[in-house]
Amino acid sequence: MAFNNQSQVSEFILQGFSEHPNLWIPLFGCFLSLYMVALTGNILIITAITLNSSLHSPMYFFLFNLATMDIVCTSSILPKALEGLLSEENTISYWGCMTQLYFLTWSASSELLLFTVMAYDRYVAICHPLHYSTMMSKRLCNVLAAGVWLICAFNSSLNTGLMTRLSFCGPNVITHFFCEIPPLLLLSCTSTYINSVMTVLADAFYGFINFFLTLVSYGFIISSILNIQTSEGKKRAFSTCSSHLIVVSMYYIAVFYAYISPICSYNPERSKLAGVLYTMLSPTLNPLIYTLRNKEVKMALRKLFPSFRN
């Protein structure tokens, strides 16, 4: 094609949920509701943290970044998924697919890396409370957040760039409701060896290494909480990290469920289910979990919106 000499495909067909036409309307209503709640919840969190000085601390600074990533993630997927549920044939242009792949990979990998940073923040807060302000200085927080965005932007650029080097000669049906690496590699008519290696390396870093570091942080956190003498002190310490632990567990379960197997055994149905979990359900539940379990956030929202209730 004129736009890409290495590709004979100008557009892809997103299979989506075409095999279940009786579910299109219910799924549209469900996905639209999730999208609206995700956008509203994350925008509220960003607004509350920005406008309330009492929330200008490292924990809420990272929560601000997480909410931003959630908006990018869900907005890169949901509009096209909703359009596909209203049309008989859901097509996406070649470059539209690459763009969606870039922003999805960027936001999803950023969340995994940020979870590790947030776990470290909770480790310092609970295990080294007297040195917290020094160890988690504003400068360090800015460096960590910028590092998360830049490292993941580089990773996304690398994987998307490698994808554009492949030739797609047909068929052009992506067995998913959005563009992601495994089903795209299955459609390539040229060697995907380098892409597969880079995908495995990225999965090892973002999935296993970050998961291990998060577990180590929470291992120290739990050990420190158990050493607290009073039950009230244990409860207060655990409440500062319980919301993050719930969100991290939910996200990693979805990611491991979808990508723990190699590309050669890629399962479309399993990947679609996991895709719903981490691109729709997780961005929707994150602000609810952090808000409903956090008194400071609820107080900030009540100041901004007097009609807000528990």
Side-chain angles (χ1 to χ4, degrees):
M1 305 300 292
F3 68 91
N4 190 334
N5 291 330
Q6 292 185 331
S7 176
Q8 298 179 22
V9 170
S10 61
E11 65 179 16
F12 294 100
I13 298 174
L14 294 170
Q15 183 188 66
F17 303 92
S18 58
E19 68 273 30
H20 306 292
N22 56 313
L23 296 179
W24 288 357
I25 300 302
L27 285 175
F28 179 85
C30 179
F31 289 177
L32 180 61
S33 299
L34 289 174
Y35 188 39
M36 292 297 101
V37 173
L39 284 181
T40 302
N42 284 292
I43 289 174
L44 284 176
I45 284 184
I46 290 173
T47 303
I49 294 174
T50 301
L51 300 181
N52 197 300
S53 58
S54 66
L55 299 182
H56 291 178
S57 64
M59 182 175 72
Y60 296 110
F61 172 71
F62 295 129
L63 180 56
F64 175 97
N65 281 268
L66 179 64
T68 304
M69 292 171 188
D70 278 339
I71 291 175
V72 174
C73 180
T74 193
S75 295
S76 67
I77 300 301
L78 263 296
K80 189 61 182 176
L82 290 171
E83 177 188 331
L85 290 170
L86 295 178
S87 58
E88 293 185 5
E89 187 174 273
N90 184 22
T91 61
I92 185 171
S93 68
Y94 174 88
W95 288 112
C97 185
M98 295 301 113
T99 301
Q100 187 181 70
L101 176 67
Y102 175 83
F103 282 104
L104 173 64
T105 305
W106 185 23
S107 58
S109 59
S110 293
E111 291 205 25
L112 290 172
L113 196 54
L114 185 64
F115 285 150
T116 304
V117 173
M118 295 174 76
Y120 174 72
D121 171 69
R122 292 300 84 205
Y123 157 75
V124 176
I126 293 175
C127 299
H128 304 281
L130 298 179
H131 303 284
Y132 181 71
S133 59
T134 303
M135 295 178 68
M136 296 302 297
S137 64
K138 183 176 181 180
R139 180 181 179 183
L140 177 62
C141 291
N142 288 332
V143 169
L144 289 173
V148 168
W149 286 102
L150 292 175
I151 290 172
C152 296
F154 174 76
N155 168 68
S156 184
S157 298
L158 183 61
N159 280 283
T160 305
L162 287 173
M163 189 67 67
T164 62
R165 295 177 66 251
L166 300 178
S167 296
F168 297 94
C169 312
N172 65 337
V173 178
I174 298 175
T175 56
H176 213 308
F177 61 92
F178 57 82
C179 294
E180 68 170 356
I181 293 175
L184 278 171
L185 294 184
L186 293 176
L187 297 180
S188 174
C189 53
T190 50
S191 174
T192 60
Y193 178 76
I194 296 179
N195 300 71
S196 298
V197 169
M198 292 306 302
T199 300
V200 170
L201 291 176
D203 289 346
F205 174 70
Y206 288 105
F208 294 102
I209 294 179
N210 278 280
F211 182 65
F212 174 74
L213 293 175
T214 301
L215 285 181
V216 170
S217 294
Y218 273 98
F220 284 113
I221 289 172
I222 293 173
S223 176
S224 181
I225 291 176
L226 292 177
N227 288 328
I228 297 176
Q229 299 300 318
T230 64
S231 58
E232 182 63 28
K234 291 180 179 179
K235 182 179 179 181
R236 186 166 55 252
F238 183 73
S239 66
T240 65
C241 60
S242 57
S243 297
H244 178 246
L245 186 59
I246 293 172
V247 169
V248 169
S249 301
M250 181 174 59
Y251 200 87
Y252 270 108
I253 287 173
V255 170
F256 284 156
Y257 178 75
Y259 304 114
I260 197 67
S261 60
I263 293 173
C264 59
S265 59
Y266 172 76
N267 186 308
E269 294 304 314
R270 184 175 65 184
S271 188
K272 288 178 188 178
L273 175 59
V276 170
L277 292 177
Y278 75 83
T279 66
M280 301 183 199
L281 197 60
S282 182
T284 301
L285 293 179
N286 285 356
L288 296 177
I289 292 172
Y290 280 110
T291 300
L292 295 176
R293 298 179 62 85
N294 192 299
K295 294 181 180 179
E296 290 179 304
V297 175
K298 287 191 286 188
M299 289 177 61
L301 288 173
R302 278 197 291 267
K303 289 180 180 179
L304 293 174
F305 309 98
S307 60
F308 178 82
R309 293 291 181 270
N310 293 339

